[in-house]
Amino acid sequence: MDLLEYPFDAAAVLQKKRALKKELLQKEGLIDKKVAIVSGSTVGDIRGVLELFLLHAGIRPTFFEGGFGLFYEDVVFDDGSLAAFAPDVLYIHTSSRNLKHWPDPADTPATAGEKLQREYATYEAVWKAAQKLGCPVVQNNFEAPVWRNFGNMDAWDVRGRVRHTRQLNELLAAYAGQTPGFYIHDFAWLASVYGLNSWCDDAAWYAYKYALAPAHIPHLCHSLASLIKSLFGLSKKGVVSDLDNTLWGGVVGEAGPEGIEFGDESPAGMAYAEFQSYLAMLSRRGILLNVASKNEQAAAEAGLARADSVLHKEDFLRFEAHWGPKSQSVATIASALNIGADSLVFVDDNPAEREEVQRALPFVAAPPIAQPEDSIRLLDRGGYFEATALSADDAARTEMYRQNAARAAEKDSFADYSGYLHSLAMQAQIGPFTPPAPRAHHPTYQQNQPVQPHHPPLHRHRDRPAHGKWRLHHPGRPPYRQVWRQRHHLCPHRPHRRGCARHRGMGDELPGVQAPLRICHVRRAGGRGQTPGHHHAAGALFPHGQKLVGERLLCYNWLCIDGGRRRGPHLYLHAAARL
């Protein structure tokens, strides 16, 4: 499983994804979630690698994959299949490659502004339509364009592509800030971290329509999986940190508090100081800080008592300083905080200590920190503490745990539990219901909301049964027979009504499918023996009037044929070809 822990070898993940999936599926305690992906580009490999990282996080996903490049149609004109899938999370995978209304050098400021609003309106329509699904929606923001109109002037001119992208991201961020259940996946940040030239592969886009270089797909999926697991409450809750050569340089028991390396005196000292500042920031947003050190208690406390230390003993909930195994300290901390050990991240520069902890507690994360300058990067990009919101309760979590510990200590001082309860002098207040705090509906506040009604369904015409009567198939009723694609008059050497065995093919109708107005159901003809590369068109939806030159497609909607007059099923092939 180390292959999926950051920093991972992306090439190895891509190469061994089948073996990894087989191994990960053996994990116990996996929770089942349904993930819908709609996109403006190719997502086949993205779905496969995302599955690995979700399994590694404890989630067994079932996927719905929309049509290629049809993210707008799949959500705004949902034919019922997306709603019937009832996703637990919807991911909209788009990039700057999908933007259509780029500003032009000849545009006026007003025209450029209109293009920006038109671009934003397209995506806003998708997000609002997605609300009927009643699940969290995750949308990529947009990376910088691969080329610029004006060079550096692009960054500030209203006609610049760079400024257009930044303004669009600001509109997206504003929407996320005011819309519960809508989350941004920071695609732009990933592109900047790995470099635009590396992230955006023109050859992969032109040849395969990948929005990013295939080599970076694991990085994308790891970031996305971190966000999704946070939506389901699977982010880490606390840090257990060593002291010597982790929060400061040197061994405090040998050099004393004044001899440890910390502060502006050296590059390493500055790195340790910044790491302490990073941990302090985590604490202020609700991450629980703890210490597990092989030291004498007095020496360990003396190191944190320095005036220039960012962190002090009172910033840590549990302070385990002794000569016992660190796995024992981590287990004690988890028990005292009443959280699972898998909710903790163990930070130690010593690989032997990390291995000892992971052997005893295999679900505890232990990033491979070797140098002080690696500490922040490994914790931050490891996705351990991914957040989707920050409430007042989150910010006060450390204090609440501290109070819980104080109450537990006080409870232990009583001879019986009843005496402890009487000492609390608790009072109950009964009153009318008040609206919940923001935390009450985060992160899955919409999970149980009913699905909004769709467009009225267009009934798909069934094939003529043996008794010769026409049957209309209602989309809400599962089909109970298969559809014969080869019909009479299409097979001259055996012209009975089902054609010959050599020239006919079967395909199940799509269950629970409803089509919005102006959409018809068509499938590629030829059954299961289709040529490679053509199978993806089976079950696709095409708007009325779209030309399908050279395609052998079947239409199951009789309204598509001659203004709705009921004609024989052998005409379906020709009618669909005329669209």
Side-chain angles (χ1 to χ4, degrees):
M1 297 309 144
D2 291 340
L3 278 177
L4 297 174
E5 288 285 353
Y6 188 88
F8 48 81
D9 185 339
V13 171
L14 292 171
Q15 182 181 6
K16 301 179 180 180
K17 57 184 179 181
R18 288 188 179 181
L20 286 171
K21 178 180 177 180
K22 183 177 180 180
E23 184 179 353
L24 288 164
L25 286 172
Q26 305 303 315
K27 290 178 63 176
E28 296 181 357
L30 294 173
I31 59 175
D32 293 307
K33 295 295 180 181
K34 293 187 283 187
V35 180
I37 303 176
V38 296
S39 69
S41 56
T42 302
V43 295
D45 286 339
I46 291 174
R47 182 189 64 182
V49 178
L50 176 61
E51 183 177 18
L52 297 181
F53 284 104
L54 288 176
L55 286 169
H56 186 253
I59 299 172
R60 179 169 45 224
T62 302
F63 287 101
F64 170 95
E65 185 177 334
F68 168 75
L70 299 178
F71 69 95
Y72 183 88
E73 292 82 356
D74 285 335
V75 180
V76 177
F77 299 121
D78 179 20
D79 61 7
S81 56
L82 181 56
F85 179 71
D88 294 302
V89 61
L90 171 66
Y91 171 50
I92 305 171
H93 176 66
T94 53
S95 70
S96 293
R97 302 278 192 178
N98 300 120
L99 301 184
K100 303 297 182 184
H101 305 290
W102 291 107
D104 187 85
D107 288 343
T108 63
T111 304
E114 290 173 2
K115 287 184 175 180
L116 176 66
Q117 292 301 321
R118 196 153 65 246
E119 192 81 73
Y120 173 74
T122 299
Y123 290 89
E124 187 181 34
V126 177
W127 307 331
K128 290 185 175 180
Q131 291 178 357
K132 67 179 182 289
L133 298 173
C135 70
V137 177
V138 178
Q139 164 77 60
N140 285 348
N141 59 6
F142 301 98
E143 79 282 14
V146 294
W147 57 271
R148 303 174 294 179
N149 280 336
F150 307 108
N152 289 295
M153 180 177 162
D154 241 42
W156 58 268
D157 193 276
V158 293
R159 297 160 297 182
R161 294 164 64 90
V162 172
R163 184 174 180 186
H164 178 83
T165 306
R166 289 176 178 170
Q167 288 179 311
L168 187 59
N169 282 340
E170 285 299 319
L171 292 173
L172 194 157
Y175 184 87
Q178 62 190 12
T179 308
F182 180 83
Y183 306 95
I184 294 175
H185 179 238
D186 205 347
F187 195 83
W189 184 84
L190 289 172
S192 66
V193 164
Y194 295 103
L196 200 59
N197 285 339
S198 173
W199 185 262
C200 298
D201 187 338
D202 289 339
W205 171 254
Y206 296 135
Y208 311 110
K209 288 298 184 286
Y210 274 111
L212 70 161
H216 287 302
I217 287 176
H219 298 119
L220 169 78
C221 294
H222 174 262
S223 173
L224 179 60
S226 297
L227 193 157
I228 292 175
K229 73 179 183 183
S230 176
L231 290 173
F232 301 123
L234 297 178
S235 291
K236 304 297 185 182
K237 296 179 175 63
V239 173
V240 179
S241 178
D242 179 36
L243 295 176
D244 294 334
N245 294 313
T246 301
L247 292 189
W248 56 63
V251 179
V252 69
E254 298 174 359
E258 299 304 322
I260 59 177
E261 193 173 13
F262 181 84
D264 297 334
E265 292 82 6
S266 67
M270 288 187 284
Y272 289 120
E274 188 171 6
F275 182 52
Q276 287 198 23
S277 298
Y278 172 76
L279 292 180
M281 193 72 69
L282 288 181
S283 179
R284 286 196 288 274
R285 48 156 284 203
I287 303 302
L288 311 175
L289 302 187
N290 308 273
V291 163
S293 174
K294 286 187 176 180
N295 257 314
E296 296 294 340
Q297 180 86 12
E301 293 180 1
L304 292 171
R306 277 183 44 164
D308 57 350
S309 180
V310 178
L311 293 173
H312 302 281
K313 184 177 183 296
E314 55 269 21
D315 294 314
F316 297 93
L317 281 171
R318 298 289 301 183
F319 200 90
E320 295 289 324
H322 52 71
W323 297 101
K326 290 195 176 179
S327 59
Q328 176 184 331
S329 297
V330 174
T332 300
I333 290 169
S335 177
L337 298 179
N338 195 26
I339 61 176
D342 59 344
S343 297
L344 296 172
V345 178
F346 178 63
V347 181
D348 197 308
D349 69 299
N350 190 331
E353 298 288 4
R354 295 197 300 267
E355 184 176 356
E356 187 272 328
V357 168
Q358 289 198 300
R359 282 181 179 274
L361 304 168
F363 295 110
V364 173
I369 294 173
Q371 302 296 329
E373 56 269 21
D374 296 335
S375 303
I376 295 178
R377 178 178 58 85
L378 290 175
L379 261 66
D380 178 62
R381 298 185 191 175
Y384 303 113
F385 309 111
E386 185 82 25
T388 51
L390 181 64
S391 68
D393 286 345
D394 293 326
R397 183 178 292 120
T398 297
E399 185 57 32
M400 288 189 292
Y401 272 86
R402 200 183 307 279
Q403 293 173 2
N404 288 341
R407 281 191 290 269
E410 184 178 354
K411 182 184 69 173
D412 293 340
S413 66
F414 284 83
D416 61 273
Y417 189 60
S418 297
Y420 166 68
L421 292 178
H422 282 94
S423 72
L424 296 179
M426 292 184 293
Q427 296 181 350
Q429 294 182 351
I430 301 176
F433 174 78
T434 56
R439 179 180 174 80
H441 61 269
H442 166 73
T444 54
Y445 75 105
Q446 290 181 321
Q447 287 291 326
N448 297 316
Q449 290 187 2
V451 176
Q452 300 297 321
H454 298 282
H455 296 283
L458 292 179
H459 296 257
R460 289 179 291 145
H461 210 291
R462 297 279 303 185
D463 297 317
R464 187 191 300 273
H467 52 71
K469 296 181 180 180
W470 290 99
R471 183 185 300 274
L472 290 175
H473 167 59
H474 191 281
R477 186 175 67 241
Y480 55 87
R481 67 171 63 185
Q482 292 182 312
V483 178
W484 294 94
R485 290 180 175 172
Q486 183 68 32
R487 291 300 179 190
H488 60 297
H489 304 307
L490 296 181
C491 183
H493 60 275
R494 191 176 178 185
H496 68 76
R497 71 179 186 89
R498 287 188 175 178
C500 70
R502 183 161 56 92
H503 282 158
R504 69 181 182 231
M506 295 184 296
D508 294 326
E509 291 197 46
L510 303 176
V513 170
Q514 295 182 2
L517 299 177
R518 306 297 298 168
I519 297 292
C520 69
H521 295 260
V522 291
R523 291 184 178 182
R524 188 178 299 275
R528 294 172 180 157
Q530 300 170 28
T531 58
H534 284 212
H535 61 278
H536 62 274
L541 299 180
F542 295 84
H544 289 277
Q546 179 174 335
K547 288 188 176 181
L548 306 171
V549 180
E551 300 285 352
R552 290 175 55 79
L553 295 166
L554 293 169
C555 178
Y556 292 104
N557 190 338
W558 63 271
L559 295 180
C560 302
I561 303 173
D562 294 337
R565 292 194 297 274
R566 301 179 181 183
R567 305 294 297 275
H570 62 280
L571 294 179
Y572 278 24
L573 178 65
H574 306 292
R578 289 203 307 270
L579 290 179

